[in-house]
Amino acid sequence: PTPRYTKVVATAFVNGRYKMKKQIFGDGTYGNLGAMVAAIVLDREARDTKLDTDPSSGSLREPLIKLIGVLRAMEYKSAPNFPPIVMTNLLDKIGQETQLIPNVFSFFLPDFSPPGKIAEAKLTAPEAQVLNAPKILGFLNGLYSLIDLGMTACFGGFGDKNTYSCDSYFSSSPEVMASRGYLTFTPSGDNPTTEEIVDEMALLLTGGNINIGSRSLIIASYNEALQNDGQEAALKVAQKLFVSTPEFHTANTFGSISTPRPSSEPPIPSDKPYKAIVYINLSGGLDSFNVLVPHSDCQGDTDGYTMYDKYASVRGQVALRKRDLHTITATDQVCLTFGIHPNLPFVKALYDDEELLFFSNVGYLSEPSTTKENWRQTTGSKTALFSHNTQQDEINVVDHWGEKDGRGIGGRMLDILALKDYNPGSISLNGIATALRSENISMTVSDASGYQKFNPLSELSGEILDKVRELNNAASISSSFYGETWAESLTQMLDENELLSNELANIDVDASFPDSDLGKQLQSVAKLMKTKDVRGTDRDFFYTSITGFDMHSKIEAPLIERLNTINGALEAFATEMKDHQNIWDDVVVVVVSEFARTLRENSSNGTDHAWGGNYFVASGSAAGGQILGTFPDDLSNEGPYVTEGIVIPTAPWESLWNGIAEWFGVSGLNDLTSVLPNRNAFTNLWTASDIFKNT
């Protein structure tokens, strides 16, 4: 909606009254819903069909709204003796589930803008955050299963488990298999024509917005199925095709042309040496001053009072006991001995083996010489420092002045490498990743829980792949940006599915990975690395992310759980890379979070949003066993870089990524500046030779 439309509706809600010509709705009471609904549905913007042809108008529809729309329009009815509707794991399958938001920001961020025409037009499409390959695949396979078999868990269905053998559906009817309910839609009227049936379904499922070419294709497909298999089969084919169209997934018209949308060319294996970055985003703000802790042999220590004592005094109830810490040695730091959180034993082992190094007091900086006296006027005035959304963007984009038009840190690296005749791969295991946004390299979004095949019921009900592709043909120049986003995303998913579904089904790993969120993602990364020749890549950037670090209360137990998760997943992954795939020297794991947390505890035994923090990088080629950066020499508010329990960083994100980009193959001042547009503002940038051995 336009700002004017939004204001009209908000005003009606506040005033409790809406006037349409001589008719008044509402009783003047604040929040009157009659007035608000009238303002929504009677406004000229709600009823102006000209807006349907405006490519920037409309929106993508939310997954749950689409699913409930199908159940209503196609007249879902429960089978006898079963509850009305039971659907399971919708959050994982389609990205949205009632009463199960994934975090405090709900299902998608309000300012999310997907790559492509929507981003180019400076528009937002929050719903596109779940418009990635696993969720598109989960949604379509779930609907196809519902249409063919009724409500069941089989073949990607949305229902609960009703059989131990889904293959039994190939020999028994859904009624015999006890599906929980069915779509019971029958066309209106006496003996309607195919055209009338398709038009009625178009009205119910797309608001009558279906384009002429798609309508003709669905009519022809209906007639073909009717002749071969009867009306029930014909209706199912039509339903599956309708729910695959851009018009079903958007609130606007889609202008298709007859030109097929180009598919990806089959990759050719690369003969260049392979390297991969595995980026682990700890979303929520890691309490990293309980990951790396001053222990002993510190500057200024006395027999009566040590830096650890000051740490314990500042942190209060959230401080770790000294005797529980794993110890590591360091040089050129305020302490010769540091402690690592007791639930990170493998991190300590990698550090001792010189395969892991810490980066101390790193965070978002717009300019050097940021201090506790001037931070509000310098960096603090350029960004929302303590906002999750903003700082997630900062760590994923690393482009202070917005010079690179929203492309991510990983995406820019891959763009540069493509110009150098590398074959880059961009893969997210956690939805559409801002860090991987690129100008030229398509992002593959994979699902850590496994890789489904598109339309696994094709043996039972017929293949529709070519028809689905045709329904999402190339769009006319005036077509909906939102419909184009759906069609482009669907086509990419289909290409990836054809390439990877069979390949990944036959690949396993040798290391034993934990059944945790990060364990599953890193296991998938390890499997995907085995497909590098099939994908034709010699440089891969993998994005993973886990949540649960925003610990404002009772921090001890949840932090232990999250660090156990990191430790176990990292150990399995490193074991697979070292002992089985033998590429540990060619892989670097980068672990970061949007910000650290306050040094002092709050009244709920938790910690709050802060700034500079401690992070780490692991690799067989890492110059490990060291701490780069400057660990604060005073953690109290009297220290030069601490204010109100917040540590002001001494190194920017550019320092960390500069050396990693060099190791990855980005070389030369111009290319490094293209990857890190603000790097020239700083002199304390780590190079590849600081972070890695033999570079």
Side-chain angles (χ1 to χ4, degrees):
T2 63
R4 181 208 61 79
Y5 189 11
T6 304
K7 183 178 180 181
V8 166
V9 175
T11 301
F13 181 85
V14 171
N15 295 340
R17 191 180 300 275
Y18 177 77
K19 184 176 181 180
M20 177 68 170
K21 297 182 179 179
K22 295 182 179 180
Q23 179 71 40
I24 295 176
F25 298 87
D27 59 5
T29 304
Y30 175 89
N32 184 277
L33 295 183
M36 185 189 73
V37 171
I40 292 171
V41 300
L42 297 179
D43 188 86
R44 66 175 186 266
E45 214 169 297
R47 298 175 293 113
D48 189 349
T49 56
K50 295 188 184 72
L51 291 174
D52 288 342
T53 60
D54 180 350
S56 65
S57 182
S59 68
L60 287 158
R61 299 173 67 204
E62 298 179 39
L64 200 57
I65 297 296
K66 293 184 290 189
L67 175 54
I68 298 301
V70 170
L71 295 176
R72 284 178 168 164
M74 297 294 103
E75 301 175 22
Y76 176 84
K77 286 185 172 52
S78 294
N81 304 318
F82 285 108
I85 299 179
V86 175
M87 294 185 286
T88 62
N89 300 323
L90 291 185
L91 186 63
D92 292 334
K93 292 173 182 175
I94 68 174
Q96 204 173 25
E97 186 167 354
T98 55
Q99 303 175 38
L100 198 64
I101 58 171
N103 53 57
V104 295
F105 303 109
S106 194
F107 298 103
F108 14 75
L109 301 175
D111 58 353
F112 183 80
S113 183
K117 288 192 173 182
I118 293 175
E120 291 165 6
K122 308 297 183 187
L123 298 170
T124 60
E127 304 84 358
Q129 197 163 1
V130 294
L131 198 64
N132 55 61
K135 298 299 186 285
I136 294 172
L137 192 62
F139 189 85
L140 290 180
N141 279 352
L143 282 183
Y144 295 168
S145 173
L146 175 65
I147 291 165
D148 278 333
L149 308 179
M151 190 66 76
T152 172
C154 289
F155 304 103
F158 301 132
D160 58 350
K161 187 173 182 179
N162 63 305
T163 176
Y164 288 102
S165 176
C166 288
D167 286 343
S168 298
Y169 271 106
F170 289 103
S171 56
S172 301
S173 70
E175 290 77 14
V176 171
M177 296 298 297
S179 292
R180 306 315 195 206
Y182 309 93
L183 301 181
T184 65
F185 170 78
T186 54
S188 302
D190 296 326
N191 197 26
T193 64
T194 298
E195 288 76 6
E196 290 171 334
I197 293 170
V198 169
D199 288 344
E200 182 180 6
M201 295 177 73
L203 180 64
L204 292 170
L205 293 171
T206 71
N209 277 336
I210 199 75
N211 68 74
I212 294 173
S214 295
R215 178 178 181 270
S216 298
L217 173 63
I218 296 173
I219 287 172
S221 300
Y222 182 97
N223 284 332
E224 180 185 0
L226 181 66
Q227 182 177 352
N228 294 333
D229 302 301
Q231 187 181 49
E232 183 180 355
L235 283 173
K236 288 180 177 181
V237 167
Q239 287 169 338
K240 284 189 274 189
L241 295 179
F242 267 114
V243 300
S244 307
T245 62
E247 291 92 337
F248 172 74
H249 294 273
T250 62
N252 206 339
T253 58
F254 180 74
S256 176
I257 57 179
S258 58
T259 306
R261 196 172 290 270
S263 296
S264 303
E265 292 293 326
I268 300 172
S270 172
D271 57 3
K272 291 186 175 68
Y274 179 73
K275 284 188 176 182
I277 294 173
V278 181
Y279 177 91
I280 301 177
N281 181 343
L282 308 180
S283 179
L286 171 68
D287 195 325
S288 59
F289 282 94
N290 267 10
V291 170
L292 188 66
V293 178
H295 189 276
S296 51
D297 301 318
C298 304
Q299 297 171 17
D301 280 3
T302 66
D303 291 339
Y305 197 73
T306 67
M307 189 170 176
Y308 172 82
D309 294 330
K310 179 166 279 192
Y311 154 85
S313 173
V314 168
R315 302 234 69 187
Q317 294 296 312
V318 302
L320 300 173
R321 293 181 300 188
K322 190 174 186 178
R323 66 176 181 269
D324 294 336
L325 297 170
H326 300 293
T327 58
I328 58 172
T329 59
T331 57
D332 301 322
Q333 289 293 338
V334 65
C335 299
L336 296 179
T337 304
F338 282 84
I340 293 178
H341 193 285
N343 292 89
L344 292 172
F346 187 70
V347 170
K348 180 237 181 345
L350 285 177
Y351 185 95
D352 289 344
D353 290 341
E354 298 185 354
E355 294 179 350
L356 181 146
L357 62 157
F358 280 96
F359 297 83
S360 185
N361 202 14
V362 178
Y364 171 80
L365 288 172
S366 61
E367 55 192 275
S369 305
T370 299
T371 67
K372 64 190 296 182
E373 286 76 27
N374 69 12
W375 70 271
R376 292 184 187 276
Q377 290 73 43
T378 57
T379 297
S381 66
K382 308 294 194 307
T383 186
L385 274 176
F386 312 114
S387 158
H388 288 293
N389 292 2
T390 304
Q391 294 311 306
Q392 275 290 321
D393 276 346
E394 299 294 4
I395 66 168
N396 290 320
V397 176
V398 196
D399 179 14
H400 169 68
W401 301 109
E403 295 179 24
K404 300 302 177 181
D405 199 28
R407 288 187 291 150
I409 178 64
R412 296 198 300 274
M413 281 192 220
L414 299 176
D415 282 339
I416 291 292
L417 292 172
L419 295 175
K420 293 176 172 288
D421 293 327
Y422 287 97
N423 297 334
S426 171
I427 301 180
S428 170
L429 278 300
N430 199 278
I432 296 174
T434 300
L436 296 181
R437 285 186 177 175
S438 162
E439 196 169 66
N440 299 306
I441 308 303
S442 296
M443 184 193 316
T444 296
V445 180
S446 190
D447 193 329
S449 62
Y451 211 92
Q452 297 182 56
K453 181 182 178 182
F454 173 72
N455 190 22
L457 281 165
S458 58
E459 293 179 32
L460 177 68
S461 56
E463 186 56 77
I464 59 171
L465 174 60
D466 291 341
K467 293 175 181 177
V468 170
R469 284 188 180 275
E470 189 173 344
L471 290 169
N472 291 272
N473 268 348
S476 64
I477 194 169
S478 61
S479 183
S480 163
F481 296 161
Y482 301 95
E484 170 65 14
T485 299
W486 160 262
E488 184 66 30
S489 301
L490 172 67
T491 301
Q492 183 180 338
M493 180 276 290
L494 294 174
D495 290 345
E496 293 168 6
N497 196 261
E498 288 185 39
L499 180 68
L500 291 176
S501 59
N502 291 330
E503 190 71 26
L504 287 173
N506 298 316
I507 285 180
D508 210 345
V509 292
D510 296 294
S512 178
F513 282 79
D515 187 31
S516 64
D517 46 4
L518 186 59
K520 291 176 181 177
Q521 290 181 60
L522 291 184
Q523 182 177 32
S524 292
V525 169
K527 287 183 177 182
L528 285 159
M529 285 179 173
K530 288 188 170 186
T531 70
K532 63 183 176 61
D533 290 336
V534 174
R535 294 181 290 111
T537 60
D538 45 44
R539 289 292 185 275
D540 274 330
F541 197 116
F542 294 95
Y543 176 86
T544 68
S545 179
I546 57 173
T547 60
F549 293 92
D550 195 19
M551 301 173 185
H552 289 282
S553 64
K554 299 178 182 178
I555 191 173
E556 182 180 7
L559 184 60
I560 287 173
E561 185 277 327
R562 290 284 73 188
L563 295 183
N564 273 337
T565 294
I566 294 169
N567 191 79
L570 182 61
E571 182 171 11
F573 182 74
T575 300
E576 175 69 21
M577 296 296 102
K578 286 185 195 180
D579 300 342
H580 304 294
Q581 296 193 33
N582 299 315
I583 56 172
W584 183 229
D585 288 354
D586 306 314
V587 174
V588 59
V589 178
V590 183
V591 180
V592 298
S593 188
E594 66 261 44
F595 44 61
R597 306 194 75 78
T598 50
L599 294 172
R600 64 188 187 192
E601 63 180 320
N602 60 30
S603 59
S604 301
N605 291 118
T607 53
D608 300 319
H609 302 178
W611 196 353
N614 307 305
Y615 308 103
F616 61 84
V617 162
S619 170
S621 60
Q626 62 171 328
I627 301 172
L628 295 180
T630 304
F631 194 93
D633 58 6
D634 188 345
L635 295 178
S636 71
N637 285 334
E638 286 71 44
Y641 290 100
V642 182
T643 177
E644 301 176 8
I646 296 167
V647 180
I648 297 171
T650 48
W653 291 116
E654 286 84 353
S655 291
L656 169 65
W657 285 112
N658 187 76
I660 293 172
E662 286 183 331
W663 172 85
F664 207 38
V666 179
S667 59
L669 181 61
N670 289 340
D671 287 348
L672 286 168
T673 303
S674 183
V675 169
L676 298 166
N678 201 35
R679 72 184 294 278
N680 294 327
F682 302 96
T683 57
N684 58 334
L685 300 174
W686 297 305
T687 65
S689 59
D690 294 322
I691 301 173
F692 299 95
K693 300 183 285 255
N694 304 321
T695 57

CSV table of all heavy atoms in Angstrom, one decimal, residues 508-532:
chain,number,residue,atom,x,y,z
A,508,ASP,N,27.2,-39.5,1.2
A,508,ASP,CA,27.1,-39.5,2.7
A,508,ASP,C,28.5,-39.0,3.2
A,508,ASP,O,29.4,-38.9,2.4
A,508,ASP,CB,26.8,-40.8,3.2
A,508,ASP,CG,26.1,-40.7,4.6
A,508,ASP,OD1,26.1,-39.6,5.2
A,508,ASP,OD2,25.5,-41.7,5.0
A,509,VAL,N,28.6,-38.7,4.4
A,509,VAL,CA,29.8,-38.3,5.1
A,509,VAL,C,30.3,-39.4,6.0
A,509,VAL,O,29.4,-40.2,6.5
A,509,VAL,CB,29.7,-36.9,5.8
A,509,VAL,CG1,29.5,-35.8,4.8
A,509,VAL,CG2,28.5,-37.0,6.8
A,510,ASP,N,31.5,-39.4,6.3
A,510,ASP,CA,32.1,-40.4,7.2
A,510,ASP,C,32.1,-40.0,8.7
A,510,ASP,O,32.0,-40.9,9.6
A,510,ASP,CB,33.5,-40.8,6.8
A,510,ASP,CG,33.5,-41.4,5.4
A,510,ASP,OD1,32.9,-42.5,5.2
A,510,ASP,OD2,34.0,-40.8,4.4
A,511,ALA,N,32.3,-38.7,9.0
A,511,ALA,CA,32.2,-38.3,10.3
A,511,ALA,C,30.8,-38.3,10.9
A,511,ALA,O,29.8,-38.2,10.1
A,511,ALA,CB,32.8,-36.9,10.4
A,512,SER,N,30.7,-38.5,12.2
A,512,SER,CA,29.4,-38.5,12.9
A,512,SER,C,29.0,-37.1,13.3
A,512,SER,O,29.7,-36.5,14.2
A,512,SER,CB,29.4,-39.5,14.1
A,512,SER,OG,28.2,-39.5,14.7
A,513,PHE,N,28.0,-36.5,12.7
A,513,PHE,CA,27.6,-35.1,13.0
A,513,PHE,C,26.5,-35.2,14.1
A,513,PHE,O,25.6,-36.0,14.0
A,513,PHE,CB,27.1,-34.4,11.8
A,513,PHE,CG,28.2,-33.9,10.9
A,513,PHE,CD1,28.9,-34.8,10.0
A,513,PHE,CD2,28.6,-32.6,10.9
A,513,PHE,CE1,29.9,-34.4,9.2
A,513,PHE,CE2,29.6,-32.1,10.1
A,513,PHE,CZ,30.3,-33.0,9.2
A,514,PRO,N,26.5,-34.2,15.0
A,514,PRO,CA,25.4,-34.1,16.0
A,514,PRO,C,24.1,-33.7,15.3
A,514,PRO,O,24.1,-33.0,14.3
A,514,PRO,CB,25.9,-33.1,17.0
A,514,PRO,CG,26.9,-32.2,16.2
A,514,PRO,CD,27.5,-33.2,15.2
A,515,ASP,N,23.0,-34.1,15.9
A,515,ASP,CA,21.7,-33.8,15.4
A,515,ASP,C,21.2,-32.4,16.0
A,515,ASP,O,20.2,-32.3,16.6
A,515,ASP,CB,20.7,-34.9,15.8
A,515,ASP,CG,19.3,-34.7,15.2
A,515,ASP,OD1,19.3,-34.2,14.1
A,515,ASP,OD2,18.3,-35.1,15.8
A,516,SER,N,22.0,-31.4,15.7
A,516,SER,CA,21.7,-30.1,16.1
A,516,SER,C,21.5,-29.2,14.9
A,516,SER,O,21.8,-29.6,13.8
A,516,SER,CB,22.8,-29.5,17.0
A,516,SER,OG,24.0,-29.4,16.2
A,517,ASP,N,21.0,-27.9,15.2
A,517,ASP,CA,20.8,-27.0,14.0
A,517,ASP,C,22.1,-26.8,13.3
A,517,ASP,O,22.2,-26.9,12.0
A,517,ASP,CB,20.2,-25.7,14.5
A,517,ASP,CG,20.8,-25.1,15.7
A,517,ASP,OD1,21.8,-25.6,16.2
A,517,ASP,OD2,20.3,-24.1,16.2
A,518,LEU,N,23.2,-26.5,14.0
A,518,LEU,CA,24.5,-26.3,13.3
A,518,LEU,C,25.1,-27.6,12.8
A,518,LEU,O,25.7,-27.6,11.7
A,518,LEU,CB,25.5,-25.5,14.2
A,518,LEU,CG,26.8,-25.1,13.6
A,518,LEU,CD1,26.6,-24.2,12.4
A,518,LEU,CD2,27.7,-24.5,14.6
A,519,GLY,N,24.9,-28.6,13.5
A,519,GLY,CA,25.4,-29.9,13.1
A,519,GLY,C,24.8,-30.3,11.8
A,519,GLY,O,25.5,-30.8,10.8
A,520,LYS,N,23.5,-30.1,11.6
A,520,LYS,CA,22.9,-30.5,10.3
A,520,LYS,C,23.4,-29.6,9.2
A,520,LYS,O,23.6,-30.1,8.1
A,520,LYS,CB,21.4,-30.4,10.5
A,520,LYS,CG,20.7,-31.4,11.4
A,520,LYS,CD,19.2,-31.2,11.5
A,520,LYS,CE,18.6,-32.2,12.4
A,520,LYS,NZ,17.1,-31.9,12.7
A,521,GLN,N,23.5,-28.3,9.5
A,521,GLN,CA,24.0,-27.4,8.4
A,521,GLN,C,25.4,-27.7,8.0
A,521,GLN,O,25.7,-27.8,6.8
A,521,GLN,CB,23.9,-26.0,8.9
A,521,GLN,CG,22.5,-25.5,9.1
A,521,GLN,CD,22.4,-24.0,9.5
A,521,GLN,OE1,22.9,-23.1,8.9
A,521,GLN,NE2,21.8,-23.8,10.7
A,522,LEU,N,26.3,-28.0,8.9
A,522,LEU,CA,27.7,-28.3,8.6
A,522,LEU,C,27.8,-29.7,7.9
A,522,LEU,O,28.7,-29.9,7.0
A,522,LEU,CB,28.6,-28.2,9.8
A,522,LEU,CG,28.8,-26.8,10.3
A,522,LEU,CD1,29.8,-26.8,11.5
A,522,LEU,CD2,29.3,-25.8,9.3
A,523,GLN,N,26.9,-30.6,8.3
A,523,GLN,CA,26.9,-31.9,7.6
A,523,GLN,C,26.5,-31.7,6.1
A,523,GLN,O,27.1,-32.3,5.2
A,523,GLN,CB,25.9,-32.9,8.3
A,523,GLN,CG,25.9,-34.2,7.6
A,523,GLN,CD,25.0,-35.2,8.4
A,523,GLN,OE1,24.0,-34.8,9.0
A,523,GLN,NE2,25.3,-36.5,8.4
A,524,SER,N,25.5,-30.8,5.9
A,524,SER,CA,25.1,-30.5,4.5
A,524,SER,C,26.2,-29.9,3.7
A,524,SER,O,26.4,-30.1,2.6
A,524,SER,CB,23.8,-29.7,4.5
A,524,SER,OG,22.7,-30.4,5.0
A,525,VAL,N,26.9,-28.9,4.4
A,525,VAL,CA,28.1,-28.3,3.8
A,525,VAL,C,29.1,-29.4,3.3
A,525,VAL,O,29.6,-29.3,2.2
A,525,VAL,CB,28.7,-27.3,4.7
A,525,VAL,CG1,30.1,-26.8,4.1
A,525,VAL,CG2,27.8,-26.1,4.9
A,526,ALA,N,29.4,-30.3,4.2
A,526,ALA,CA,30.4,-31.3,3.9
A,526,ALA,C,29.9,-32.2,2.7
A,526,ALA,O,30.7,-32.6,1.9
A,526,ALA,CB,30.6,-32.2,5.1
A,527,LYS,N,28.6,-32.5,2.7
A,527,LYS,CA,28.1,-33.3,1.5
A,527,LYS,C,28.2,-32.4,0.2
A,527,LYS,O,28.6,-33.0,-0.8
A,527,LYS,CB,26.6,-33.6,1.8
A,527,LYS,CG,26.4,-34.7,2.8
A,527,LYS,CD,24.9,-35.1,2.9
A,527,LYS,CE,24.7,-36.2,3.9
A,527,LYS,NZ,23.2,-36.5,3.9
A,528,LEU,N,27.8,-31.2,0.3
A,528,LEU,CA,27.9,-30.3,-0.9
A,528,LEU,C,29.3,-30.1,-1.4
A,528,LEU,O,29.5,-30.0,-2.6
A,528,LEU,CB,27.2,-29.0,-0.6
A,528,LEU,CG,25.7,-29.0,-0.5
A,528,LEU,CD1,25.1,-27.8,0.3
A,528,LEU,CD2,25.1,-29.1,-1.9
A,529,MET,N,30.3,-30.2,-0.5
A,529,MET,CA,31.6,-30.1,-1.0
A,529,MET,C,32.0,-31.3,-1.8
A,529,MET,O,32.8,-31.1,-2.8
A,529,MET,CB,32.6,-30.0,0.2
A,529,MET,CG,32.6,-28.6,0.9
A,529,MET,SD,33.7,-28.6,2.3
A,529,MET,CE,33.6,-26.8,2.8
A,530,LYS,N,31.4,-32.4,-1.6
A,530,LYS,CA,31.7,-33.6,-2.4
A,530,LYS,C,31.0,-33.5,-3.8
A,530,LYS,O,31.4,-34.3,-4.7
A,530,LYS,CB,31.1,-34.8,-1.7
A,530,LYS,CG,31.9,-35.3,-0.5
A,530,LYS,CD,31.5,-36.6,0.0
A,530,LYS,CE,32.4,-37.2,1.1
A,530,LYS,NZ,32.0,-38.6,1.5
A,531,THR,N,30.2,-32.5,-4.0
A,531,THR,CA,29.5,-32.3,-5.3
A,531,THR,C,30.2,-31.2,-6.1
A,531,THR,O,29.7,-30.7,-7.1
A,531,THR,CB,28.0,-31.9,-5.1
A,531,THR,OG1,27.9,-30.6,-4.6
A,531,THR,CG2,27.3,-32.9,-4.3
A,532,LYS,N,31.4,-30.7,-5.6
A,532,LYS,CA,32.0,-29.6,-6.3
A,532,LYS,C,32.3,-29.8,-7.8
A,532,LYS,O,32.1,-28.9,-8.6
A,532,LYS,CB,33.3,-29.2,-5.6
A,532,LYS,CG,34.4,-30.2,-5.6
A,532,LYS,CD,35.6,-29.7,-4.8
A,532,LYS,CE,36.7,-30.8,-4.7
A,532,LYS,NZ,37.2,-31.2,-6.0
